[in-house]
Structure formats: C-alpha cells, structure tokens
Amino acid sequence: MKVPLAQALLRITQEPARILGLNAGHLSEGHTADVCIFDAEHYGKVTAAALKSQGKNTPFLGIELPGKVRYTLVQGQVVYEAGTG
C-alpha cells in the first residue's frame, strides 16, 4: 500500500506531536524549525556504511530506495549536510 507523501509526513510529524500534546510538528513563525530537506528524485542503495546511527541492523540493507536527505536542521541550525553524489 502506498501512502501519499503529504499523508506520510503528517503521520511522522503532526500526529506524534498531537498525541504527546506538544506544540510541534509544524512550521510557524516564532516556533522551533526542525526540518529535513530531501531530494525525492534521488535513488540510492541502503548500506551499513551510510547509516548515521550506531545501529547497523536494518531490513532495508541492500535495497534501493527513493529519496536522499540533503540537509537536516534542528532548532533552525544545520546539523547535517549531505555530500555530493
């Protein structure tokens, strides 16, 4: 089952914030900007070396998936910037 991108984003941003009673999961003037900017046209294979966490166990290893994170901002500051490629 495919979930439209807008619906998927709501499920991982606004819905968890709503469930936890947090004023988060949205972009509004005067609020914290936690943002992931990604390239939906990029396809890449999942490799253990590319994973940023200490855990390297994922069922997606070796699978080509759409999308690549280009930037991550936490509280409005860039904390991750992807290299080229």
Side-chain angles (χ1 to χ4, degrees), residues 16-46:
R18 182 190 62 76
I19 290 167
L20 296 172
L22 302 174
N23 185 13
H26 58 87
L27 292 175
S28 301
E29 186 175 344
H31 288 83
T32 300
D34 294 342
V35 180
C36 171
I37 300 170
F38 69 98
D39 177 356
E41 301 297 319
H42 183 276
Y43 279 77
K45 189 175 284 191
V46 178

Side-chain angles (χ1 to χ4, degrees), residues 3 13 16 24 33 50:
V3 177
T13 58

Side-chain angles (χ1 to χ4, degrees), residues 68 70 80-85:
K68 178 178 181 172
R70 296 294 183 181
Y80 172 79
E81 182 176 349
T84 58

